[in-house]
Amino acid sequence: MSGFKALTEAVIKGDIQTAVAETQSAVDAGSSVQDILDKGLIAAMDEVGEKFTTGQMFVPQMLRSAKTMQECMKLIKPLFQEGELAAKGKVVIGTVRQDLHDIGKNLVAMMMEGAGFTITDLGVDVSPEKFAEKAKEIGADIVAMSALLSTTMPAMSDTIKALQEAGIRDKVKVMVGGAPVTENFALEIKADSYAPDAGSAVMEAKKLLSIS
Ligand code: B12
């Protein structure tokens, strides 16, 4: 076994040592970060999700795979940095209330940071009030929310209401994303933007703030 297949297998197994070594050799072999992510790490998480659905994997193994992916992400983080960049805008990011999934959110935060945005990461299980409070405190340009569960998607709408109540809805742009989130859902809850992955999240953020 070689290349991304070995990496994917290691992430599915939760074998941190092998996964990190495979990530390093992919970097050394000149693979692009995008390929390592899409064909290696994210492909693995998709398979983990399928195995969970079909009862071949359970929460502890899913957690172990998630930890493995996070360790590999640490290794490729420096490769996202575009060097010295002028500050592009302030982003408050977090996973919504009652949702603990943070891999996708971390990836979006990492790529935005690499593109020159200033990131305040509130972590997971972030209440609508906490999003609003922090956005107001730092004068955020963008509030970015992640949800991975269909049951936590309504918290996005609640967060938008909290921004309204805090009197800052017209000062910030709201971006939403996460596997169950769709463009239509974003329109429905009156978010300003939706993106299906971390790369397009950066492009959308630039568009929202009219930055090229
Ligand atoms: C890893 C994982 C976990 C780990 C999370 C660890 C962690 N630190 O994140 C643990 C074990 C904790 C977990 C728990 C649970 N999970 Co889970 N989990 C997953 C799994 C396998 C992978 C998620 C992932 O990391 N994907 C990789 C990342 C890179 O992709 P992503 O998150 O989609 O992010 C990308 C885009 O969506 C987008 N994006 C993400 N956020 C944002 C934000 C913005 C602003 C933008 C623009 C874009 C954007 O960009 C990202 C990068 O390209 C998924 C299956 C899957 N394929 O999604 C299930 C899955 C999400 N989990 C599921 C379930 C059911 C659960 C549990 C309820 C299980 C249980 N019975 O306890 C609990 C809930 C815990 C909670 N309260 O949150 C279901 C959800 C079903 C649904 N639609 O509601 C899934 C789909 C599995 C399945 N097939 O059934 N889980």
Side-chain angles (χ1 to χ4, degrees):
M1 237 183 330
S2 67
F4 297 121
K5 180 140 173 55
L7 174 56
T8 304
E9 294 287 321
V11 175
I12 295 168
K13 277 195 209 134
D15 177 350
I16 296 180
Q17 221 183 340
T18 306
V20 167
E22 285 295 334
T23 303
Q24 186 62 55
S25 56
V27 170
D28 294 344
S31 297
S32 73
V33 173
Q34 202 59 53
D35 276 353
I36 297 173
L37 279 170
D38 292 344
K39 299 180 184 163
L41 302 172
I42 295 178
M45 294 319 275
D46 284 344
E47 210 169 316
V48 168
E50 274 161 38
K51 285 187 186 295
F52 177 74
T53 308
T54 53
Q56 297 170 69
M57 257 176 107
F58 301 96
V59 170
Q61 289 107 305
M62 199 150 74
L63 205 52
R64 181 82 192 166
S65 293
K67 167 101 180 111
T68 307
M69 169 151 181
Q70 307 259 35
E71 291 300 320
C72 297
M73 273 162 57
K74 275 189 205 158
L75 207 86
I76 55 179
K77 185 175 179 191
L79 306 176
F80 283 130
Q81 312 299 327
E82 285 177 13
E84 288 301 307
L85 288 169
K88 288 232 165 71
K90 291 182 222 162
V91 180
V92 168
I93 192 167
T95 302
V96 299
R97 186 179 52 203
Q98 288 187 359
D99 199 320
L100 303 176
H101 296 84
D102 66 356
I103 297 178
K105 182 264 297 167
N106 292 346
L107 205 50
V108 172
M110 223 184 250
M111 288 192 79
M112 282 188 157
E113 193 179 10
F117 290 90
T118 306
I119 306 293
T120 302
D121 188 344
L122 299 178
V124 297
D125 189 15
V126 180
S127 70
E129 296 72 30
K130 177 88 192 175
F131 269 114
E133 199 181 289
K134 200 57 173 185
K136 193 168 184 173
E137 182 192 318
I138 68 163
D141 300 295
I142 294 177
V143 169
M145 291 181 262
S146 180
L148 263 286
L149 299 171
S150 36
T151 50
T152 58
M153 287 165 65
M156 292 181 152
S157 174
D158 294 343
T159 303
I160 293 178
K161 286 189 199 113
L163 295 173
Q164 265 154 7
E165 276 156 27
I168 54 167
R169 178 63 188 96
D170 55 344
K171 297 191 182 71
V172 293
K173 300 289 186 192
V174 174
M175 290 186 75
V176 293
V181 178
T182 61
E183 180 102 61
N184 266 346
F185 177 76
L187 281 173
E188 220 173 86
I189 64 167
K190 300 193 168 60
D192 299 299
S193 178
Y194 156 80
D197 55 57
S200 41
V202 170
M203 287 192 283
E204 284 296 322
K206 287 182 179 172
K207 234 191 270 170
L208 281 176
L209 304 185
S210 309
I211 306 165
S212 57

